[in-house]
Amino acid sequence: MEVQAHFSREEINMTCHLLNPKTKEKVAIKKLHRPFQSEIFAKRAYRELRLLKHMKHENVSISHLTQHTSPASFNRLHYLVMPYMFTDLSKVRGHLSEDKVQFLVYQMLCGLRVTHFLLQDLKPGNLAVNQDCELKILDFGLARGADAEMTGYVVTRWYRAPEVILNWMHYTQTVDIWSVGCIMAEMINGRTLFKGKDYMDQLTQILKVTGVPGPEFIQKLDSLEAKNYIKALPHYPRKDFSTLFPRASAKGIDLLEKMLVLDGDERPTAELALEHPYFDSLREPDDFPEPATYDDSHDNATLSLDEWKRLCFREVKSFVPFPRRDSKRKNTLTMSP
């Protein structure tokens, strides 16, 4: 048995890799300790279960999820069984060939297309890949609805959209498109595009590539401090992306230019990005079905611990695994860390 452990902010999660004796497939088992320690923990566990059941798609980590819990230990332990993935993008070193970049970015956008959430934490470490370059988005624990009020601390700085750094309070799903652009750029060049040492250095590095915005963009900012900061910057012109990414094709550069735009209102949604000619050889309508409506009726509820437990147990018992869909696409790509 292979065992991996990591520690979250509030509770300990352990993930181990096992062989399913019935299917002979490798699976990952995530064990959550003390999900019912308090009302807050129980509400978080319930919300995660709701999200796991809602997001049924090949490019979401929980699309083939099954759940198991022992009635005798339901108050203490919770197990999530999901497909085992070979590695994650943070462990893949060096630049990737364009066909791999194209396929991986396409899958990121397909996964984003079917959700109604802002992930806020999209980064290479949250993107699992297997040997044949199939990708799954991991960790929806920080996902929120597009109308929720959000602050910037939850996102890894290097992949953080500039509007998060500038503390806009009501931004849209294009914050994730910025992250996809940063990850795509990193796969092409084999190094992090914006590796800021702190918040201000991160923003400065971004502006040296995107160029310092004009008065129309500055007027959109809610923060007076952000407005004054940008006004005081020297004039940085927008860099030539064909020079910045010499290995990329013309279509790849065009897509990057559209995703890495400072103004989030000007970036494409995942749906629009998938229509880009860069993906003409990959696009299958069944890859991104119309998103289902998510029931968030309990997201703002205040319930007792026992009530949250009952809701969680109901979700576990009613879960139906999502069957794997056979794609018409022939994939000959392979991935190694």
Side-chain angles (χ1 to χ4, degrees):
M1 179 177 71
E2 299 173 75
V3 177
Q4 292 184 346
H6 66 277
F7 301 90
S8 69
R9 287 180 298 275
E10 290 92 0
E11 70 257 19
I12 299 174
N13 296 333
M14 179 175 287
T15 303
C16 63
H17 305 149
L18 298 171
L19 189 69
N20 186 327
K22 293 183 178 180
T23 64
K24 305 304 180 183
E25 293 179 337
K26 213 171 190 179
V27 296
I29 299 178
K30 181 179 179 182
K31 175 181 176 182
L32 305 182
H33 288 253
R34 299 184 297 174
F36 305 115
Q37 176 178 323
S38 66
E39 287 86 353
I40 293 176
F41 276 52
K43 181 176 182 179
R44 185 181 298 121
Y46 174 75
R47 185 171 181 276
E48 181 175 7
L49 287 171
R50 292 288 301 168
L51 289 171
L52 294 179
K53 291 179 67 175
H54 173 75
M55 290 185 273
K56 296 180 179 181
H57 191 268
E58 284 85 355
N59 299 125
V60 178
S61 65
I62 40 65
S63 58
H64 311 297
L65 175 77
T66 57
Q67 303 174 47
H68 169 74
T69 184
S70 166
S73 63
F74 190 73
N75 288 342
R76 301 191 307 276
L77 300 176
H78 190 73
Y79 296 88
L80 305 178
V81 183
M82 59 197 79
Y84 168 75
M85 298 298 284
F86 177 57
T87 189
D88 65 67
L89 281 183
S90 71
K91 298 181 179 67
V92 177
R93 306 303 178 191
H95 59 75
L96 300 180
S97 61
E98 182 163 63
D99 53 355
K100 289 182 181 178
V101 173
Q102 182 188 44
F103 187 40
L104 291 169
V105 173
Y106 176 77
Q107 292 177 89
M108 292 178 216
L109 293 170
C110 286
L112 292 176
R113 168 70 178 84
V114 298
T115 71
H116 287 295
F117 308 98
L118 308 183
L119 302 188
Q120 303 181 64
D121 200 27
L122 200 61
K123 57 187 177 183
N126 280 350
L127 296 168
V129 290
N130 60 18
Q131 288 93 330
D132 55 1
C133 278
E134 291 184 343
L135 175 143
K136 293 184 184 292
I137 301 172
L138 304 174
D139 193 0
F140 285 82
L142 296 175
R144 302 192 184 193
D147 293 329
E149 183 176 278
M150 294 163 287
T151 54
Y153 75 93
V154 294
V155 190
T156 300
R157 182 190 307 129
W158 296 344
Y159 309 94
R160 180 173 297 160
E163 59 266 35
V164 182
I165 299 173
L166 297 173
N167 202 27
W168 286 356
M169 300 306 290
H170 295 284
Y171 41 83
T172 69
Q173 291 172 343
T174 62
V175 298
D176 294 322
I177 298 301
W178 175 272
S179 301
V180 172
C182 291
I183 295 166
M184 180 179 175
E186 185 168 326
M187 290 191 293
I188 292 171
N189 280 354
R191 60 181 183 275
T192 306
L193 180 60
F194 304 118
K195 203 169 184 177
K197 300 174 184 177
D198 52 44
Y199 287 99
M200 288 296 97
D201 183 49
Q202 183 72 21
L203 182 57
T204 300
Q205 289 199 30
I206 289 172
L207 293 174
K208 285 182 177 180
V209 170
T210 65
V212 173
E216 186 175 331
F217 173 83
I218 295 173
Q219 194 62 33
K220 291 184 178 182
L221 303 179
D222 292 335
S223 168
L224 180 61
E225 182 181 2
K227 290 180 179 181
N228 292 335
Y229 173 78
I230 292 179
K231 287 178 181 178
L233 286 172
H235 177 68
Y236 298 128
R238 183 173 176 84
K239 283 194 175 180
D240 182 348
F241 274 42
S242 61
T243 302
L244 200 58
F245 305 102
R247 299 181 59 87
S249 66
K251 291 179 180 178
I253 289 170
D254 185 70
L255 178 62
L256 272 172
E257 288 179 331
K258 287 177 167 59
M259 292 194 293
L260 294 176
V261 172
L262 194 65
D263 189 343
D265 294 338
E266 301 299 322
R267 282 179 229 133
T269 61
E271 183 176 10
L272 288 175
L274 284 165
E275 295 176 3
H276 194 277
Y278 187 63
F279 303 116
D280 282 351
S281 63
L282 295 174
R283 196 180 302 106
E284 291 182 10
D286 290 343
D287 288 341
F288 37 91
E290 193 65 28
T293 301
Y294 173 66
D295 177 12
D296 61 355
S297 57
H298 284 91
D299 279 11
N300 297 315
T302 301
L303 303 176
S304 69
L305 183 57
D306 285 340
E307 288 172 318
W308 285 121
K309 288 178 185 177
R310 282 195 291 271
L311 287 173
C312 286
F313 191 71
R314 185 182 70 184
E315 295 301 323
V316 170
K317 298 298 288 184
S318 63
F319 183 80
V320 177
F322 178 59
R324 181 182 176 88
R325 179 180 62 86
D326 292 329
S327 174
K328 301 181 182 69
R329 183 189 306 109
K330 291 183 179 180
N331 178 26
T332 59
L333 300 177
T334 57
M335 177 67 70
S336 60

